[in-house]
Amino acid sequence: MQEFRAIETNVIFSELKWKEVVHLLVALLKNGQRISLVEGWTKAQLVKLRKNESFFCPACQQEVILKLGNQRTPHFAHKKEGTCALEQEAESQYHAAGKIDFFHWLQKQSISAQLELYFHQIQQRPDLSIIEQGKVYALEYQCSTISETLFCKRNGRYKKAGIRPIWVLGAQHLQQLSPYRFKLSRFHWLFAQNISPISPQPLIFYYCPRTKRLIRLTRFISFSSYYTFSVPVIEKLSDIQFSDFLSYPSVALPPVFWSEWLEQKKIWRLTFPLYRGKINRAICADFYPRCPPALFPPEAGWPLQHSYLFATPPFIWQTYILLFLEKRGICSLSSIYNCIKEKMKEKKITVRYLPLARTYHYTRAVYEYVQLLEHLGYVRWVNRQTIAYVKKWTFPKTIEEALLKDCCLLERVERKQL
């Protein structure tokens, strides 16, 4: 098996040495020789090997057991009485099969990769460690749920070492409600990652070892903190290259998007006032002096390229901007940003936590909304930092009127491509 070469890094040490710590698929023999269970062994060969050899964990040096059941992939396991400080969360058969798939996929591309190598300097052991074109990558195939604290701790250590993590979720985490509608929890959004400096948006990777397919969720346009519109790109792992993990796929919004968005605005109007949580009541109280929440202006609640930066539904934070502009008449961009910031302090608006996608600040979405209002003729730029309110918003008197105005405005909004 190809050995990893030391590489140069100026981050925390001059020579990165690849040292192995095995949890599942690799162990050492008595003579120190490394044995990997992904190297094409037959079961008969492994039975004979187990009879004649002892195996040891490269991390703690304790003896491990070679397990050869009929239901699971052959693997090593610590004895019950043994303890290993470097053991991580339990791995399922699904997880083991997935990282083996990735390992063989990288081998076929002649890319230098190793399973379960341990970086002593940062105390991390990714599922796969990869060196490609002088750069080091850690591919983490995450099938279990881990805490946000642990997730951020791992990423911080990789960053400190100059290692770029690539996170892939197990496809069992994918909650697809319709062809383009998904439910994403705060945990799932942790894995939204900007894969290149010029990526227009982050994406989330999923992989299923049963179907051998990689799923990339792209073009996020969130409806709320949990529900989002997204375009999935689904391909066989064998049909893509490692470079595809480092570039954003070119995908267009499907024609059905706009009708789905219009339906979502209808849902907001009919259901939001029914949710009587403390925050919702406070938001309703803010809206009521000017409009009942169900009759928010049709000019609010529109999709933007970077609206995913907010966990709060767009009709809420955009209505706050409309009310602020109506009151001020002429105002600076910074004052609009401060308005949103105040609502964030009051917990009426929430910014999405995206530790791997920090290219853009939430003010990017606010600026895009101001641009949309200018495109629709409701505001004009006085100078680069100041806008003027020049056309009144629409305040419908009935739900029927609101829905009709939404449809009419859709044609104009649709012309401004996302």
Side-chain angles (χ1 to χ4, degrees):
M1 183 174 292
Q2 183 179 4
E3 295 294 331
F4 269 53
R5 296 174 298 170
I7 66 170
E8 294 300 317
T9 176
N10 296 318
V11 182
I12 59 173
F13 40 87
S14 60
E15 186 179 34
L16 180 62
K17 297 180 180 178
W18 301 81
K19 298 184 180 180
E20 307 164 37
V21 167
V22 182
H23 177 55
L24 181 67
L25 301 172
V26 182
L28 300 179
L29 301 178
K30 281 184 178 180
N31 63 3
Q33 180 183 344
R34 177 182 183 274
I35 176 173
S36 171
L37 298 179
V38 299
E39 294 179 350
W41 297 87
T42 65
K43 186 170 183 180
Q45 289 174 325
L46 290 175
V47 168
K48 183 178 179 181
L49 189 70
R50 182 172 64 178
K51 183 177 180 180
N52 299 323
E53 292 282 358
S54 296
F55 311 98
F56 301 88
C57 171
C60 63
Q61 304 302 312
Q62 295 183 61
E63 190 171 357
V64 293
I65 304 168
L66 174 55
K67 294 193 172 184
L68 302 172
N70 293 322
Q71 300 299 318
R72 299 190 63 188
T73 300
H75 63 282
F76 298 104
H78 286 81
K79 294 182 178 181
K80 290 183 179 180
E81 64 274 13
T83 58
C84 180
L86 300 175
E87 286 192 276
Q88 300 177 4
E89 69 267 15
E91 294 183 348
S92 64
Q93 174 75 359
Y94 189 92
H95 184 176
K99 64 182 178 182
I100 291 172
D101 285 349
F102 280 119
F103 178 68
H104 291 315
W105 171 71
L106 290 163
Q107 279 190 321
K108 289 178 181 178
Q109 299 172 67
S110 299
I111 291 176
S112 186
Q114 287 281 22
L115 280 163
E116 301 171 341
L117 298 185
Y118 182 66
F119 297 87
H120 285 274
Q121 293 86 348
I122 56 172
Q123 298 180 328
Q124 287 296 118
R125 181 187 53 208
D127 288 320
L128 284 155
S129 302
I130 303 160
I131 296 179
E132 176 68 356
Q133 296 184 354
K135 296 182 180 179
V136 187
Y137 301 89
L139 194 154
E140 292 277 20
Y141 182 47
Q142 192 64 43
C143 295
S144 61
T145 301
I146 59 174
S147 71
E148 190 173 298
T149 300
L150 179 58
F151 179 83
C152 293
K153 181 180 179 181
R154 289 182 181 176
N155 281 297
R157 288 178 172 179
Y158 287 135
K159 183 178 180 180
K160 182 179 180 181
I163 299 170
R164 176 175 169 178
I166 299 173
W167 290 86
V168 182
L169 278 169
Q172 82 275 17
H173 285 286
L174 186 64
Q175 299 183 59
Q176 187 170 12
L177 307 177
S178 72
Y180 301 104
R181 192 182 179 95
F182 298 85
K183 183 177 182 181
L184 298 177
S185 69
R186 181 180 172 97
F187 171 74
H188 300 134
W189 278 105
L190 292 176
F191 297 83
Q193 49 208 298
N194 283 329
I195 57 176
S196 78
I198 60 173
S199 296
Q201 279 195 347
L203 53 71
I204 303 178
F205 295 106
Y206 297 85
Y207 179 68
C208 178
R210 294 169 185 155
T211 62
K212 310 297 184 187
R213 280 173 166 75
L214 182 77
I215 303 154
R216 289 176 281 179
L217 287 192
T218 69
R219 299 300 300 265
F220 294 117
I221 303 176
S222 61
F223 298 131
S224 67
S225 57
Y226 284 102
Y227 299 102
T228 188
F229 186 97
S230 180
V231 181
V233 178
I234 305 172
E235 297 172 294
K236 288 184 179 180
L237 186 63
S238 58
D239 290 341
I240 64 175
Q241 301 294 314
F242 179 66
S243 58
D244 291 313
F245 275 83
L246 309 176
S247 60
Y248 198 89
S250 178
V251 290
L253 285 175
V256 71
F257 167 74
W258 293 103
S259 60
E260 285 207 18
W261 189 268
L262 205 59
E263 181 63 23
Q264 181 60 46
K265 287 197 74 173
K266 181 179 179 180
I267 292 171
W268 284 331
R269 293 191 183 280
L270 297 177
T271 64
F272 180 73
L274 303 178
Y275 295 104
R276 306 305 296 172
K278 182 179 179 180
I279 297 299
N280 277 26
R281 290 199 302 270
I283 293 171
C284 288
D286 287 346
F287 289 2
Y288 259 118
R290 193 67 180 89
C291 64
L295 301 179
F296 63 85
E299 292 82 5
W302 293 106
L304 303 162
Q305 185 172 2
H306 292 90
S307 56
Y308 68 89
L309 294 168
F310 286 103
T312 301
F315 84 92
I316 293 176
W317 64 265
Q318 291 176 15
T319 296
Y320 273 121
I321 291 175
L322 296 183
L323 297 178
F324 180 81
L325 287 171
E326 183 184 50
K327 183 178 180 180
R328 291 295 186 91
I330 297 178
C331 60
S332 64
L333 277 176
S334 61
S335 67
I336 298 175
Y337 298 154
N338 287 335
C339 168
I340 295 298
K341 191 174 181 179
E342 285 300 313
K343 298 306 175 184
M344 289 167 56
K345 289 180 180 179
E346 297 170 4
K347 299 184 178 179
K348 295 172 183 175
I349 295 177
T350 304
V351 172
R352 200 178 299 283
Y353 182 55
L354 302 168
L356 300 183
R358 293 179 172 175
T359 303
Y360 298 108
H361 193 259
Y362 70 86
T363 52
R364 176 68 175 248
V366 175
Y367 182 78
E368 287 176 349
Y369 183 54
V370 172
Q371 286 183 308
L372 175 63
L373 293 176
E374 191 269 340
H375 170 77
L376 297 174
Y378 290 98
V379 302
R380 65 175 176 82
W381 291 99
V382 177
N383 54 50
R384 290 185 177 183
Q385 295 298 321
T386 308
I387 59 173
Y389 169 54
V390 296
K391 181 180 177 183
K392 292 183 178 181
W393 324 125
T394 307
F395 289 96
K397 296 179 180 179
T398 66
I399 286 290
E400 291 73 17
E401 182 186 355
L403 297 177
L404 180 61
K405 295 291 185 181
D406 287 338
C407 288
C408 293
L409 196 57
L410 172 66
E411 295 181 7
R412 298 173 62 196
V413 173
E414 191 175 357
R415 296 193 199 108
K416 185 174 176 60
Q417 296 297 317
L418 292 175

